[in-house]
Amino acid sequence: MTKALIFYGGWDGHEPEATSAIVERMLTDEGIEVRREAGTGVLAEDDLGRYDLIVPMTTQVQIDKDALQNLIAAVEAGSGLGGFHGGMGDAFRMEPAYQFMVGGQWVAHPGNIIDYRVEITRPDDPVVAGIGDFDYRSEQYFMHVDPGIEVLATTTFDGTHAPWTKGTVMPVVWKHRYGAARVFYSALGHVASEFEAPQMKEILRRGLLWAAR
């Protein structure tokens, strides 16, 4: 049976307890055996590589260096990594080695909660096939990203809240490889209520399944 680990915590504004429970149910419904743990202590366990999928859901926290290296080693050896929004994209702000593995890092969301459009760039990819472009209301993430990622969806900043960003096309959903692992990320999903948006939820579901070993 496929095994997944969700670790959650950090900034309460992202509702990590509620959103991690939703993701746990999502994966369980797919027949995956899920372990959900608060904090990052679980990452220090010697057999972390037994998990086929690791889902970070913790925003702006510190992590023990040995635990971080253990996580990176497990992913490099083949444990899939997948997640969304700040829980994965702003988990360990002071750790560039983690950001290198993810493929990007959050830096801003001009205007905070706003309306914007998500455009599918790879409609042939199974993660986003059949979904199409859609309007979304949330934080529009401005990120520093690895130019080598495979971008599946983007958003374009109109400059209303930060004029110098006008016309900037920013990745919203991506995937890439890290060592033997598959890595998936979606910038969508600020709080639990956003799982009511069918496109957000379906992209995440497919992306996590793709990332699982």
Side-chain angles (χ1 to χ4, degrees):
M1 175 179 285
T2 301
K3 296 181 179 181
L5 170 67
I6 299 170
F7 64 94
Y8 70 94
W11 185 58
D12 287 338
H14 281 158
E15 302 177 357
E17 173 74 38
T19 54
S20 63
I22 292 172
V23 174
E24 179 181 22
R25 290 194 298 272
M26 177 189 294
L27 295 176
T28 299
D29 287 346
E30 296 295 333
I32 295 174
E33 180 182 316
V34 182
R35 177 184 177 187
R36 185 169 66 103
E37 294 283 347
T40 60
V42 64
L43 301 179
E45 294 182 358
D46 291 338
D47 57 351
L48 197 62
R50 74 182 185 275
Y51 295 106
D52 303 294
L53 175 66
I54 299 173
V55 184
M57 297 187 64
T58 182
T59 306
Q60 300 174 24
V61 301
Q62 301 293 321
I63 183 172
D64 179 81
K65 293 291 186 182
D66 290 340
L68 177 61
Q69 287 306 120
N70 200 38
L71 171 62
I72 292 172
V75 174
E76 190 170 358
S79 294
L81 186 73
F84 64 99
H85 203 65
M88 180 165 163
D90 193 23
F92 308 122
R93 190 174 291 183
M94 304 303 293
E95 303 296 344
Y98 170 81
Q99 296 159 18
F100 179 45
M101 180 171 64
V102 170
Q105 166 65 34
W106 170 88
V107 292
H109 42 68
N112 298 316
I113 303 296
I114 60 173
D115 295 311
Y116 62 94
R117 189 151 181 85
V118 176
E119 298 180 326
I120 303 300
T121 57
R122 286 288 309 275
D124 59 324
D125 190 281
V127 174
V128 293
I131 291 177
D133 301 347
F134 57 96
D135 294 322
Y136 199 72
R137 182 170 178 81
S138 184
E139 294 172 332
Q140 187 180 30
Y141 264 20
F142 196 101
M143 307 188 74
H144 289 171
V145 297
D146 179 346
I149 58 175
E150 184 177 352
V151 179
L152 305 182
T154 62
T155 187
T156 302
F157 283 77
D158 65 12
T160 298
H161 304 285
W164 54 92
T165 66
K166 185 176 182 178
T168 299
V169 178
M170 183 62 56
V172 173
V173 180
W174 70 73
K175 63 181 186 179
H176 74 119
R177 299 277 182 162
Y178 186 87
R182 295 178 173 188
V183 177
F184 166 82
Y185 177 76
S186 169
L188 308 175
H190 177 60
V191 290
S193 62
E194 291 188 23
F195 279 82
E196 296 173 8
Q199 301 94 335
M200 174 270 169
K201 187 175 182 179
E202 181 63 10
I203 288 172
L204 180 63
R205 185 190 70 83
R206 294 183 192 178
L208 293 179
L209 293 177
W210 174 83
R213 177 170 47 196

